[in-house]
Amino acid sequence: MRSGSARGEVLKERWKAFDSVPDLPDIVVASSSLESSALLTEKDVTTVAVIVGPALPGDDDLRPTPGAIEASLRYGVDFADLAERAGFTGEAGTTHIALLPRVHSRRGAHLPWDGLPLRIVLLGSGSGGPADLRHAGAALAKVTRDDDRVVISLAPFVDSGSVRSAVEGYLLGAFRAPRLTSQQTAVGSAMPQVVLLVGEEPRDTLESEVQSVVAGARGTWLARQLTALPSDVKTPQWVAARAGALADQAGLEYRVWDEAQLSEEGFGGIAAVSRGSSREARLVTVTYEPVLNSDGAGQSADVPKPQHVVLVGKGMTYDSGGLALKPRTSMVSMKSDMAGAAVALATVLAAADSRSPHRVTAVLPLAENALGGASYRPGDVIRTYDGTTVEITNPDAEGQIVLSDALGYARLRLEPDLLIDIATLTGATTTALGHHRAALFTTDEALAEVVAGAGARTGEQVWRLPLVRDYRSALDSELADIRQTARGDQGAGAIMAGLFMQRFAGDTRWAHLDIAGTARSTAELHEVPEGATGFGVRLLLETLAAL
Ligand code: BES
Ligand code: MN
Ligand code: ZN
């Protein structure tokens, strides 16, 4: 008998805080400038932020931006000079905070900044490019956590691309990892309101830009939160229930398979991996269906042809290695082994949120790879959803097994135009690329360009690795259609796993993203927090937008 479900219910009650994503900072666009804005005299405005140069990389002198000049005129303080004397270089992601003095009560003199916010944050913008503005936004978020209301002049970076980057950086940088303390207060602590002063720039364009940024950032927060959650809370059943609740909230169709249904319908891979665990596996699909306007939007020449994009995300709620038990230190971070599923789920929700013209389905195979008397063994042969037989050779390569079921299902039942799987699949990817580049595999050149371009624009960057044909024979099995892992001392672990997955995509247009390195970061870096990063949500959203 399995006892996982009853225990899961108790925990769900206990960590209710995780049933929702905390509110993001509120972003407001205002058509005024620092020189004249009446906002600056409002009591709850606690910080004023301006972007300062340098205008060019390698430029030593700070070149005051229009925003900095406006602030200087309003306050009667030369802020560029102040920053320069403090050794501030204007490098992207750095800040200089000026706390303006109040006059001593016994003097009663008048200061030019009387009645204005006394905390000024000068933000380095580096070259002023998208990545640098994202870093500037993230830096501002970190120094305004305790503020009620922040006013920022973005001038001269008020075009929609620049606003997007700065706001994105702010929202991503404002995330705080949930804590499970006895107080349970860390989640949902109030976020500041941020007012963007954009001068004459048309507000409605910028407001819709901000909305789309918020959708991606909220998705990233959701993925980070789910990935950071401990495995004793997020059983496969819990994640399935959470996915269902989120789909319901968004008005999306979803379906959940329990273990009996999975076995009955031939999902032999998920069943095999899950067998050693006391926690039942689940498979979840969530579908977003775009509503086409009656005027035929989606048909006209300048609008892309709507496609069905299926996102398959690896959802190991814990990976102990199974019978190939991991060493203690490797096991510590394995609650993150469902990051792919978290990202796929968050992406379909964000695609709905931002009204993507494409149909998007997330397919989430959820299971726990545990050590037990019933665990699947090396030497076993399993049959996956599409009928392929696999000779098990290393129970720690469990991701490939659950994904083969999910990819087979997606290919055979969902009629995808494009299939993308995203998975914390191999430690070899981390060895090769570290924590700030994901591995991209595809044989489709155009698709490789789309995904790499999306990576460059979002900062969630990918590096393409080859699906070396000559390596394929190392997966030949004497017993089954294919071996789970390569025979002999083959090396190229990330590529071998990619070659294994390729078989299950068949002839469908397909890309594989190995996020083993990028799903968690070892240190905070600009908009990327330490721990769960949510890497992939913005990459996939931007990929959808570029199709
Ligand atoms: N979940 C791991 C991969 C992983 C390792 C992700 C480190 C994040 C950080 C995966 O299931 C695994 O164990 N892969 C094996 C593959 C091998 C058995 C072919 C690995 O990387 O050692
Ligand atoms: Mn594993
Ligand atoms: Zn794994």
Side-chain angles (χ1 to χ4, degrees):
M1 271 308 284
R2 294 181 184 254
S3 55
S5 68
R7 242 184 280 142
E9 284 311 306
V10 174
L11 285 164
K12 188 182 144 92
E13 257 314 296
R14 207 170 135 205
W15 305 121
K16 270 208 295 289
F18 289 94
D19 284 353
S20 64
V21 181
D23 286 334
L24 274 67
D26 181 26
I27 309 288
V28 178
V29 181
S31 302
S32 55
S33 75
L34 272 185
E35 229 184 312
S36 59
S37 173
L39 278 169
L40 262 58
T41 53
E42 287 185 20
K43 278 279 161 298
D44 59 346
V45 177
T46 37
T47 293
V48 170
V50 291
I51 288 181
V52 291
L56 298 166
D59 211 344
D60 278 343
D61 295 329
L62 280 178
R63 299 210 193 145
T65 59
I69 292 168
E70 283 167 17
S72 293
L73 293 173
R74 182 80 185 259
Y75 277 81
V77 171
D78 185 341
F79 285 116
D81 171 68
L82 185 89
E84 212 168 302
R85 283 190 287 128
F88 185 64
T89 61
E91 195 187 323
T94 63
T95 56
H96 176 73
I97 300 177
L99 292 174
L100 299 180
R102 292 192 184 100
V103 88
H104 195 278
S105 55
R106 275 157 56 191
R107 271 300 291 272
H110 175 78
L111 293 170
W113 52 83
D114 280 347
L116 298 175
L118 295 179
R119 190 165 182 259
I120 314 294
V121 178
L122 304 176
L123 289 170
S125 62
S127 66
D132 281 351
L133 290 175
R134 212 164 40 235
H135 298 168
L140 180 60
K142 287 169 205 168
V143 299
T144 53
R145 288 197 195 290
D146 299 326
D147 282 270
D148 291 329
R149 225 164 154 209
V150 177
V151 170
I152 174 170
S153 166
L154 288 175
F157 305 107
V158 289
D159 60 290
S160 60
S162 297
V163 168
R164 160 172 282 270
S165 300
V167 171
E168 192 162 54
Y170 192 93
L171 294 175
L172 295 171
F175 177 80
R176 265 184 276 190
R179 295 184 62 209
L180 301 169
T181 64
S182 48
Q183 272 81 42
Q184 288 209 27
T185 51
V187 169
S189 57
M191 290 282 163
Q193 184 187 72
V194 182
V195 183
L196 311 173
L197 304 184
V198 298
E200 318 276 78
E201 210 66 19
R203 244 179 55 199
D204 42 349
T205 324
L206 294 181
E207 273 165 357
S208 67
E209 192 73 37
V210 166
Q211 261 184 27
S212 118
V213 176
V214 169
R218 186 183 290 125
T220 305
W221 279 37
L222 171 64
R224 287 175 182 174
Q225 196 194 35
L226 289 174
T227 304
L229 200 58
S231 299
D232 55 342
V233 180
K234 60 170 175 201
T235 61
Q237 208 185 346
W238 187 94
V239 178
R242 181 91 174 89
L246 287 162
D248 268 337
Q249 262 172 42
L252 305 184
E253 293 290 326
Y254 71 98
R255 181 175 169 194
V256 179
W257 286 252
D258 64 20
E259 261 193 11
Q261 293 164 322
L262 286 170
S263 298
E264 201 170 299
E265 293 182 33
F267 292 91
I270 299 172
V273 168
S274 173
R275 222 161 47 211
S277 172
S278 66
R279 288 153 179 127
E280 279 195 32
R282 292 288 183 271
L283 176 70
V284 179
T285 59
V286 179
T287 301
Y288 158 65
E289 192 96 46
V291 188
L292 295 181
N293 294 335
S294 51
D295 63 10
Q299 258 76 59
S300 69
D302 55 333
V303 179
K305 186 175 162 289
Q307 302 193 27
H308 186 203
V309 180
V310 177
L311 305 173
V312 176
K314 172 178 172 181
M316 300 311 302
T317 58
Y318 196 71
D319 179 12
S320 69
L323 279 180
L325 195 66
K326 286 183 184 294
R328 174 181 55 82
T329 50
S330 311
M331 227 185 270
V332 175
S333 64
M334 282 303 135
K335 66 175 183 180
S336 304
D337 213 21
M338 42 60 77
V343 168
L345 173 63
T347 304
V348 70
L349 294 165
D353 208 358
S354 55
R355 305 224 170 100
S356 167
H358 303 294
R359 187 170 167 210
V360 184
T361 300
V363 179
L364 319 173
L366 302 162
E368 177 176 311
N369 190 20
L371 173 66
S375 293
Y376 78 137
R377 297 157 289 238
D380 287 358
V381 172
I382 61 149
R383 185 186 296 274
T384 63
Y385 186 83
D386 69 0
T388 305
T389 57
V390 181
E391 178 186 352
I392 300 306
T393 52
N394 185 340
D396 198 10
E398 82 298 333
Q400 292 165 220
I401 304 302
V402 299
L403 286 174
S404 59
D405 265 355
L407 276 179
Y409 174 79
R411 181 184 93 240
L412 296 173
R413 301 281 174 263
L414 299 178
E415 299 179 6
D417 298 305
L418 172 59
L419 200 47
I420 300 180
D421 74 75
I422 181 160
T424 48
L425 205 57
T426 66
T429 294
T430 322
T431 305
L433 300 176
H435 294 283
H436 298 281
R437 292 290 183 283
L440 164 69
F441 298 86
T442 181
T443 52
D444 187 309
E445 299 299 319
L447 181 58
E449 242 173 72
V450 168
V451 178
R457 288 192 295 281
T458 56
E460 295 191 333
Q461 300 204 64
V462 301
W463 192 259
R464 191 174 173 193
L465 294 180
L467 290 156
V468 182
R469 243 172 191 288
D470 288 342
Y471 295 175
R472 241 192 241 171
S473 57
L475 294 175
D476 289 348
S477 167
E478 314 223 304
L479 200 56
D481 291 324
I482 190 170
R483 287 170 61 100
Q484 183 186 23
T485 58
R487 186 169 0 90
D489 189 11
Q490 173 75 19
I495 295 175
M496 295 315 297
L499 285 169
F500 181 93
M501 294 327 316
Q502 188 181 22
R503 179 185 176 113
F504 295 90
D507 293 331
T508 306
R509 194 177 191 210
W510 162 79
H512 159 57
L513 288 163
D514 194 331
I515 55 165
T518 50
R520 296 188 69 85
S521 160
T522 48
E524 181 181 273
L525 181 66
H526 301 301
E527 69 271 18
V528 182
E530 187 185 332
T533 60
F535 180 103
V537 176
R538 292 180 307 113
L539 172 68
L540 290 173
L541 279 176
E542 182 65 20
T543 297
L544 285 172
L547 284 178

